[in-house]
Amino acid sequence: LSQGLAAHPKVFNELYLNMVRAGEVSGQLDTVLDRLARFMEKSQKVQSKIVAAMLYPIVVLVLAATILGFLMVFVVPKFQIIYEDFLGGASLPTLTQIVMNISLWVQGNILTVLMLILLAFLGLKSLGKVERMQYVFDAFKLQVPIFGELIRKNCLSRFSRTLGTLLGSAVPLLEALEITKAVVGNRVFQKELNAVYTRVMDGDPISRPLMQAKQFPDILCSLVEVGEETGTVPEMLNQVADDYEDELDTTISGLTSILEPFMIVFLAVIVGFIVIALF
């Protein structure tokens, strides 16, 4: 079965392939496949929640920019004609004049603005293909307020779940670390796991280099150390993954409940500012 799956790498990744291979060798293929299915279900569930939480403010910001652009290009100029007829050349209030000036600038530079946005998008996409910049972007993501902590917990959950599932399926530790490093999803974590891999290859237990890594909290390292002493590392790692997934659920639920009214108020302030200025 593992040889058949290896012929389709776009569908069955290294994690999937190595677990199936380990299940064949150990004679526990049914158990391994069941574990693999549960692992993939939990990973997909967590990933979907994080994407949804991060997508919401982006959609609202794009919507706000679209509304603002529509008002400045199509609505405000009509009021400018009304003011000219109504005031007969008298000066407008400061707030109204500011909105009018912005509207005139947007109308005159709309193509330039769109081109700059497009060039910025293409530039960021090109930089994202450079290995050094990929590391910089991943490090920046971890520093973003609120969302950075979500990404960190997701990486820790993915690390714990993947490594625990692989070790519980009789995949050798070094091979399991290699696969986990590839699927953890952040190059800052990958760099630290490279150092962990080297130390483990030299004979250290995994808990020792993990304790010296900056991104792995003390509680995770302590539980792994206890697992090494009691022979229950896979169980400990899966328990850690469960805890992080619960924390992610709580954080995402709270974040969503805070973001929704905040974004509604944000939109109302933008539109309200223009309406007040026009009146």
Side-chain angles (χ1 to χ4, degrees):
L1 178 61
S2 60
Q3 289 177 0
L5 298 179
H8 304 279
K10 291 183 179 179
V11 180
F12 304 101
N13 60 20
E14 282 294 311
L15 168 68
Y16 203 107
L17 188 61
N18 279 275
M19 283 187 64
V20 170
R21 190 178 291 135
E24 289 172 336
V25 172
S26 62
Q28 296 182 323
L29 186 58
D30 55 342
T31 305
V32 169
L33 287 172
D34 180 61
R35 188 176 291 139
L36 186 56
R38 284 187 279 111
F39 164 79
M40 294 181 74
E41 285 168 2
K42 287 187 176 182
S43 298
Q44 186 61 40
K45 183 180 177 182
V46 172
Q47 199 66 21
S48 299
K49 287 184 177 181
I50 290 175
V51 169
M54 297 181 74
L55 195 61
Y56 181 78
I58 293 171
V59 170
V60 173
L61 287 173
V62 170
L63 182 63
T66 305
I67 292 171
L68 192 59
F70 176 79
L71 289 172
M72 288 299 180
V73 174
F74 296 104
V75 177
V76 174
K78 295 185 183 299
F79 277 85
Q80 189 170 4
I81 297 168
I82 295 170
Y83 295 151
E84 287 173 358
D85 294 338
F86 183 69
L87 295 175
S91 60
L92 291 167
T94 305
L95 192 62
T96 310
Q97 191 61 57
I98 290 170
V99 172
M100 288 298 165
N101 291 340
I102 293 172
S103 176
L104 288 170
W105 185 88
V106 171
Q107 289 177 71
N109 299 276
I110 186 69
L111 291 177
T112 306
V113 171
L114 291 174
M115 285 298 296
L116 286 173
I117 292 171
L118 181 61
L119 287 172
F121 174 76
L122 294 174
L124 286 172
K125 196 173 182 181
S126 300
L127 284 174
K129 295 178 181 178
V130 179
E131 183 63 32
R132 175 61 184 164
M133 291 308 298
Q134 288 175 344
Y135 181 87
V136 171
F137 287 152
D138 281 351
F140 173 74
K141 288 176 189 175
L142 295 174
Q143 301 303 318
V144 175
I146 303 174
F147 291 106
E149 193 60 29
L150 276 181
I151 293 168
R152 180 177 285 103
K153 286 179 180 178
N154 183 43
C155 289
L156 290 169
S157 169
R158 192 180 296 180
F159 162 80
S160 305
R161 181 72 66 197
T162 305
L163 187 59
T165 303
L166 287 166
L167 294 177
S169 303
V171 176
L173 177 57
L174 285 173
E175 194 173 342
L177 274 172
E178 191 75 35
I179 297 166
T180 304
K181 181 182 68 176
V183 302
V184 73
N186 187 284
R187 284 164 184 79
V188 176
F189 278 85
Q190 286 177 353
K191 185 178 179 181
E192 292 197 344
L193 286 174
N194 275 331
V196 172
Y197 180 88
T198 303
R199 292 276 302 276
V200 171
M201 192 164 56
D202 291 339
D204 280 348
I206 187 174
S207 59
R208 197 172 298 165
L210 277 179
M211 288 178 180
Q212 296 174 355
K214 293 181 180 178
Q215 299 298 332
F216 294 91
D218 293 340
I219 183 65
L220 187 153
C221 301
S222 299
L223 287 170
V224 171
E225 188 177 23
V226 171
E228 287 172 337
E229 293 171 359
T230 58
T232 58
V233 173
E235 290 81 358
M236 286 293 184
L237 285 168
N238 281 313
Q239 181 60 52
V240 170
D242 287 338
D243 291 342
Y244 277 120
E245 285 169 10
D246 289 342
E247 283 185 34
L248 277 169
D249 281 343
T250 305
T251 306
I252 290 170
S253 298
L255 185 62
T256 304
S257 62
I258 292 170
L259 275 176
E260 285 181 5
F262 176 79
M263 287 298 178
I264 290 169
V265 171
F266 173 72
L267 273 175
V269 167
I270 289 176
V271 177
F273 174 81
I274 296 172
V275 171
I276 290 169
L278 294 178
F279 273 101

